[in-house]
Amino acid sequence: MTTKTPSKLEKILRDGHLAVTSECGPPRGSNIDHIVKKGELIKDHVDAINITDNQTSMTRLCSLAACIRLKLMGLEPVLQMVTRDRNRIALQSDILGAASFDINNILCLSGDHQSFGDCSQGQNVHDIDSIQLIQAVRHMRDEGKFLGGDELEGKPEMFVGAAANPFADPFEIRVPRLAKKIAAGVEFIQTQCIYNLDKFEEWMKGVRERGLHEKCFILAGLTPMKSVGMAKYMQKRVPGMDVPEEVIKRLQGVEKGKQADEGIKMCIESIQRLKECEGVAGFHVMAIEWEEKVPEIVEAAGLYPRPNGN
Amino acid sequence: MIVADKKPIEEIIECLKDHKNILVLGCNECVTVCEAGGKKEVGVLASALRMNARKEGKEVKIDELTLERQCDREYLDEIRDSIDQYDAVVSLACGVGVQFTAEQYHDKPIYPGVNTTFLGATEERGVWTERCQACGQCILATTGGICPVARCAKRLFNGPCGGSTTGKCEINAEVDCAWQLIVDRLKALERLDDYEKLCPLKDWSTDRAGGPRKVVREDVKQ
């Protein structure tokens, strides 16, 4: 199938392979060694690596710089970009900057509210929202124009993604919301971490009923649990996260030293089950500060070796 | 209405520490309704300031007055003859009233006695909530009469975000998710299909982004 951009991720998805992506959070300082190391650890087991954009509103080294670093290492970054901190001037400018380094994937997000982070007294921007950012990137890429209408000298050749949370409320608009993102021009989706597989499959059923799985590539998001404590924290404290009681009970059923192994096992089982779910085009494995486990998960889930994407 | 909240008394005392003749000036409009700056609150603040002066052994004269409005020159003129007896005024009006009073009485310090908070409504006595941010370009017709600019913490035009949980906002379980309210209302109006209409980029030039705003109405100008 022909691709619209030079993105390796796009090529792999359009060729019909189950894609595998992962993500890394940039460091809280200027020392970039950390991201280089994380990239090295997972590069042979994933097709692309998302770099988060000041996730949970904790100030970090910028996503763009970390993406450039990965690109210079020959890896395939996905630039996460939130509308919380930049107005439409800064967003367009950063998109062009990323494109100038041949960063060919972008994930359009609104971002966690700044009250969760280290600058809770700061102002937020939200000049445009995540859906409008999808439209903006597509406009720049496809029309070759700025939002203001002027011609671009060089279009950003970016494969355009967004997030979807099948577990947030109101549930009834979660499929329509995906339809809205597709209408805005989204080409791939990475979902919120899936622990409630039944509910995810119910959402996917609604997605298929409207044929939305044929209009964008849906990568199922998975995060292995490290411990019962992490599972409880995610259940109680992380907005929009659905961690069923069975997940907590299963982790509680093994001794403390083996909970992490059990979490990995559960993650692998989830991937195996979701491989059978029609419309799932790949997996987004977010092993938070646990990137060294990504190769093991990918191999055990039967997703290794990766296609070369050329 | 414009909703205001009381300022901490310590902050007001600090502003007034070098003044001997003070006028506490209330406003009979919005701040009276939200019980922050009307005649009653003028009396309470004036008494507190007198008590504080006595406690500190200072001789301070504190007068009380509440005008019909402080955002109207006609009413502000009522203090023209008496203003010279004061070396400071504490205005309990909103930020508009404080500034308008200062503009009329250019050489007189006018201190704010309240924090102006938002454009809102009375939920019940003692509880006020925000409804409007005066962005200058009303979109309520397309959002079921509920404003995402004022009521969504991320002012999403195509919400909700992934943090909406059981009808509440991710920032605080006390705050309603504006987009849950919008969806519920569109449903009640049998217009849920409208949810999928993409909301275009907003023109913020009518908002704060465009600089200080002005409305000129030739049809009513004299």
Side-chain angles (χ1 to χ4, degrees):
Chain A
M1 201 184 275
T2 54
T3 55
K4 294 178 186 165
T5 72
S7 162
K8 178 180 150 192
L9 178 62
E10 182 187 7
K11 176 79 169 63
I12 286 169
L13 286 164
R14 292 206 194 277
D15 283 347
H17 299 290
L18 280 173
V20 180
T21 57
S22 185
E23 73 177 34
C24 293
R28 300 208 67 211
S30 63
N31 185 347
I32 197 94
D33 298 351
H34 176 71
I35 213 103
V36 170
K37 209 173 126 203
K38 283 181 177 180
E40 289 287 350
L41 271 176
I42 61 175
K43 68 179 169 52
D44 297 329
H45 289 80
V46 301
D47 307 316
I49 302 169
N50 288 40
I51 299 288
T52 50
D53 182 5
N54 295 296
Q55 76 272 22
T56 66
S57 299
M58 292 299 278
T59 317
R60 289 169 181 270
L61 183 142
C62 73
S63 175
L64 177 54
C67 282
I68 292 169
R69 188 57 72 125
L70 289 189
K71 190 75 197 184
L72 295 175
M73 290 166 65
L75 309 189
E76 174 88 355
V78 178
L79 176 73
Q80 292 198 183
M81 190 174 265
V82 302
T83 59
R84 177 193 60 221
D85 310 320
R86 299 175 187 83
N87 70 0
R88 63 191 80 176
I89 301 172
L91 290 166
Q92 293 179 90
S93 177
D94 281 358
I95 288 164
L96 295 177
S100 77
F101 280 93
D102 299 321
I103 289 163
N104 301 122
N105 308 288
I106 184 168
L107 195 77
C108 303
L109 305 165
S110 53
D112 299 309
H113 194 263
Q114 76 279 5
S115 58
F116 295 105
D118 63 341
C119 290
S120 59
Q121 295 190 349
Q123 181 64 277
N124 57 26
V125 179
H126 297 299
D127 175 12
I128 67 175
D129 66 21
S130 58
I131 287 186
Q132 294 166 338
L133 180 58
I134 296 167
Q135 289 179 301
V137 190
R138 285 295 303 264
H139 174 81
M140 292 170 80
R141 183 188 88 189
D142 300 342
E143 309 298 323
K145 286 181 178 166
F146 284 102
L147 291 175
D150 291 341
E151 293 281 336
L152 286 165
E153 290 172 30
K155 304 175 195 178
E157 294 188 293
M158 286 187 173
F159 186 43
V160 182
N165 185 356
F167 310 106
D169 292 318
F171 184 67
E172 66 208 284
I173 57 94
R174 289 293 148 186
V175 173
R177 184 156 176 75
L178 176 65
K180 212 169 168 176
K181 291 193 174 183
I182 290 169
V186 84
E187 295 167 304
F188 74 97
I189 289 289
Q190 291 169 322
T191 76
Q192 173 67 288
C193 316
I194 302 161
Y195 297 104
N196 187 341
L197 277 79
D198 293 339
K199 196 164 184 182
F200 177 76
E201 284 169 344
E202 187 190 340
W203 179 73
M204 280 302 297
K205 186 166 170 272
V207 168
R208 287 193 302 271
E209 278 167 6
R210 290 187 56 174
L212 300 177
H213 63 307
E214 286 161 353
K215 294 178 180 162
C216 73
F217 298 101
I218 299 169
L219 277 64
L222 294 143
T223 293
M225 293 291 192
K226 272 181 179 170
S227 63
V228 175
M230 174 179 173
K232 283 187 175 167
Y233 177 82
M234 287 183 119
Q235 184 187 52
K236 299 263 182 308
R237 304 256 175 244
V238 182
M241 192 71 79
D242 183 346
V243 181
E245 273 310 307
E246 302 91 79
V247 171
I248 294 182
K249 282 200 187 113
R250 187 165 158 189
L251 289 166
Q252 280 170 333
V254 297
E255 59 185 276
K256 211 161 182 188
K258 295 207 169 137
Q259 284 172 4
D261 291 342
E262 194 66 15
I264 298 285
K265 213 166 126 193
M266 288 161 79
C267 180
I268 294 161
E269 287 170 16
S270 296
I271 295 176
Q272 275 158 345
R273 175 166 156 186
L274 294 177
K275 274 167 126 179
E276 307 302 319
C277 178
E278 189 192 346
V280 170
F283 297 93
H284 182 49
V285 185
M286 299 164 273
I288 304 164
E289 295 303 321
W290 211 19
E291 286 83 359
E292 67 272 21
K293 289 289 175 187
V294 170
E296 181 184 328
I297 294 167
V298 173
E299 285 181 26
L303 294 165
Y304 187 80
R306 302 303 314 145
N308 67 19
N310 295 323
Chain B
M1 67 177 151
I2 296 174
V3 178
D5 199 2
K6 289 182 178 177
K7 252 194 191 301
I9 181 92
E10 300 77 19
E11 210 181 302
I12 300 172
I13 289 168
E14 175 63 22
C15 287
L16 297 172
K17 64 179 188 225
D18 297 327
H19 299 293
K20 298 272 183 274
N21 291 293
I22 297 160
L23 175 63
V24 180
L25 190 63
C27 178
N28 205 22
E29 292 283 349
C30 315
V31 288
T32 295
V33 181
C34 66
E35 303 188 43
K39 195 174 176 192
K40 188 180 76 188
E41 294 74 32
V42 165
V44 172
L45 178 63
S47 301
L49 292 173
R50 285 184 202 112
M51 273 171 62
N52 180 69
R54 266 201 301 278
K55 198 178 82 192
E56 293 185 350
K58 287 183 184 167
E59 196 134 319
V60 182
K61 177 174 170 267
I62 294 162
D63 284 349
E64 305 172 20
L65 185 68
T66 297
L67 299 178
E68 193 53 36
R69 278 199 285 283
Q70 291 187 33
C71 55
D72 212 321
R73 291 196 177 98
E74 181 191 340
Y75 297 107
L76 281 169
D77 270 346
E78 290 174 19
I79 55 171
R80 194 157 299 282
D81 294 337
S82 54
I83 192 86
D84 285 343
Q85 5 170 351
Y86 305 106
D87 54 9
V89 176
V90 184
S91 165
L92 294 195
C94 66
V96 179
V98 176
Q99 293 182 64
F100 223 50
T101 306
E103 285 169 35
Q104 299 311 301
Y105 302 105
H106 201 60
D107 57 355
K108 201 63 67 185
I110 315 290
Y111 298 108
V114 298
N115 287 321
T116 306
T117 46
F118 49 74
L119 303 182
T122 310
E123 297 279 355
E124 58 183 91
R125 189 155 180 217
V127 180
W128 295 272
T129 50
E130 183 166 19
R131 289 292 183 279
C132 179
Q133 289 195 350
C135 71
Q137 188 69 257
C138 193
I139 58 160
L140 286 170
T142 60
T143 55
I146 289 149
C147 181
V149 177
R151 303 186 67 185
C152 168
K154 301 176 187 172
R155 59 182 193 190
L156 301 181
F157 292 97
N158 299 283
C161 73
S164 178
T165 307
T166 58
K168 299 297 176 185
C169 175
E170 71 175 27
I171 62 160
N172 186 332
E174 304 273 299
V175 177
D176 289 328
C177 166
W179 276 95
Q180 174 80 56
L181 298 176
I182 292 169
V183 167
D184 290 347
R185 178 104 163 111
L186 288 176
K187 226 183 326 176
L189 296 170
E190 297 181 348
R191 280 177 40 203
L192 194 55
D193 288 349
D194 283 358
Y195 171 76
E196 288 194 37
K197 290 183 185 160
L198 290 168
C199 179
L201 271 65
K202 186 169 172 67
D203 174 359
W204 289 110
S205 66
T206 57
D207 185 71
R208 183 195 62 77
R213 293 170 278 178
K214 188 176 191 174
V215 173
V216 181
R217 285 272 309 278
E218 295 299 339
D219 57 331
V220 290
K221 263 175 87 174
Q222 288 177 351

